[in-house]
Amino acid sequence: MEKKEKNRLILTVMVCLLPIILGGALYSKLPEQMPIHFAINDAPDNYAPKAFALFGIPAIMAIVQTICLIFTSKVGKVKDMEEPKIIKIMEWFIPIMTVLIYIIMVEATLGNNIYVGKSVCLILGIIFMIIGNYFPKMSYEAGKTIFHPRPKSEKSFRRISKILGYSFISIGIVLMILIIWA
């Protein structure tokens, strides 16, 4: 791993672990069993011990983030080519989701009226639209390192990336519309 990649790894892992500070501050105010999963009607349907929910989940997400970044740093490298922006965006997916879902979990445990389904639809809708925006802007050289099987020509790559871009943006819009019913 290069120095830049190591710094990004350290920063994103720290963001994954950041919620532990909130958990430590609220530890005494939270019940021994905390909801960690919610049904479609926003009712908790799975619980975990407080220590695991507050400290274990961010630690597991930090480990997953580390594995993902180490894997992506070793795969798809092309000498003298800048890393595609879509990869840079995807590297922040786990840390951002960890923080947002942790906040939702703690707020719901404290009895605050949190709309879990709407929150998840909003977060995922935004992420899908951002990723969809970047697919068509990716260079052919970068696409050859990301897509499998590799595109046979630049023309087929442009067609695939445009379809993927429209598909992701459409899914993002559908998720945003679902907020009305979630």
Side-chain angles (χ1 to χ4, degrees):
M1 273 184 127
E2 297 175 12
K3 183 175 172 56
K4 188 177 181 181
E5 291 169 335
K6 285 181 183 177
N7 290 340
R8 191 177 316 144
L9 172 64
I10 292 167
L11 181 61
T12 57
V13 166
M14 287 175 54
V15 171
C16 286
L17 297 173
L18 191 62
I20 291 176
I21 297 169
L22 176 65
L26 297 173
Y27 193 83
S28 62
K29 296 178 183 175
L30 296 167
E32 287 304 313
Q33 291 289 313
M34 291 184 58
I36 59 168
H37 190 269
F38 298 84
I40 194 124
N41 62 353
D42 290 339
D45 65 354
N46 198 0
Y47 294 84
K50 175 170 47 173
F52 175 78
L54 295 178
F55 309 119
I57 291 176
I60 290 169
M61 297 309 288
I63 292 167
V64 170
Q65 176 69 5
T66 302
I67 292 167
C68 289
L69 286 188
I70 289 172
F71 179 73
T72 57
S73 74
K74 294 185 185 305
V75 175
K77 291 286 183 185
V78 174
K79 190 175 181 183
D80 299 329
M81 186 181 83
E82 185 179 340
E83 185 177 44
K85 287 183 181 178
I86 195 161
I87 296 295
K88 292 176 184 176
I89 292 168
M90 293 299 289
E91 288 174 345
W92 283 96
F93 178 77
I94 292 172
I96 290 169
M97 291 303 289
T98 300
V99 170
L100 294 175
I101 291 171
Y102 191 93
I103 291 169
I104 290 169
M105 179 183 69
V106 169
E107 288 294 320
T109 302
L110 291 172
N112 295 323
N113 196 11
I114 299 292
Y115 300 104
V116 178
K118 289 182 182 188
S119 301
V120 170
C121 284
L122 176 66
I123 294 164
L124 291 177
I126 291 169
I127 289 171
F128 268 88
M129 289 194 294
I130 290 170
I131 292 170
N133 182 48
Y134 280 101
F135 265 124
K137 297 175 183 174
M138 190 183 323
S139 73
Y140 175 58
E141 291 301 316
K144 288 194 299 187
T145 66
I146 294 173
F147 291 121
H148 184 75
R150 289 194 168 117
K152 292 182 179 17
S153 67
E154 187 165 359
K155 183 178 178 182
S156 67
F157 168 74
R158 290 284 157 228
R159 189 176 69 242
I160 291 167
S161 61
K162 190 180 260 189
I163 290 169
L164 281 172
Y166 285 134
S167 298
F168 270 64
I169 289 173
S170 299
I171 291 168
I173 291 169
V174 168
L175 286 167
M176 300 292 254
I177 292 170
L178 286 175
I179 292 172
I180 298 168
W181 293 286

